[in-house]
Amino acid sequence: MNNSLPSSILIDGKQYSMSEFLYLLSSAIVNINKGNKGDITPISVKAPSYPNGNFTSGNLQKVEFVTLATNVLNFINTNKQAPNYANSKLGTIKFQSLVYEFSGILDFVDSNGSLPNNLTINITTNPLIGGINSSNKTNNSSNNTNGPYDPVGDGFIIINSSNYICGPLLVKYNDKYLISTGKCSCGVAGDYHYHNSTFKNYCPFCKKRWLYDL
C-alpha cells in the first residue's frame, strides 16, 4: 500500500526492527525446509550499512530461495547485522526486497502449510525504500543522495509513471524526498537494470520544496 517497509513490526507483543524481522524470516524458511516448525529465538540485529542492489524480475526455484535465505541467515549470525543485499541468479537483491519477498514466502506457508515450489519476484512491486533504523543512516550533504538516506515516511504521491524507453518507471515524492526509478538509457551505470535515485525535496538555492512551497 505504501511502497515501503514499516520501520518495525509487532510480534506477540514485542517490537522488532526490519533487520531483526529478516533474521526471523530467514530462520523460519530454513527451518521449515528441514521440517522444523519450532520456535525461533530472536536476536538483536543491526541495520544494514548501505542497502542497495541490482536485480531483475524472474523466478527462483525452492532450492534457490532456500539457499538465499540460508546465506542471509549465515551473514546475520556471523555479523549480527543485516546484509545490504544478497546474491541470486536474478542479481543482487537489496535488503528491503529480501524482507518483502521472504514475508511473501511465509504468507504462502501460512495458507498452504508448506514452502512454495518457486518464488516469483516482480521488481515493479518491490518496496523501494524504508525499514532502516535511523541510527544507522549515512550522512551525505549532496542534494542527490542516490540511496544513503532512508526516506521513510507516509504520504508519498506518485506523479509520473511511464512505459517510454527513456522515461522513468516511477517518480514519487513527499515533503522530504523525491524518488525516481528508471533504467539508464546510455549504459553509463554499466547495466540496464532499474536504479533508484533519491533527492532531498528542496531547491538548494531558494530552499523551496517541489510542489509544496511553489
Side-chain angles (χ1 to χ4, degrees), residues 39-79:
D39 291 343
I40 299 170
T41 302
I43 64 173
S44 178
V45 182
K46 293 190 296 183
S49 56
Y50 182 58
N52 64 93
N54 291 314
F55 60 100
T56 59
S57 299
N59 292 315
L60 295 178
Q61 299 302 310
K62 180 165 71 172
V63 64
E64 294 171 325
F65 71 69
V66 169
T67 298
L68 186 68
T70 301
N71 292 339
V72 169
L73 183 60
N74 290 340
F75 182 94
I76 295 176
N77 280 327
T78 299
N79 300 279

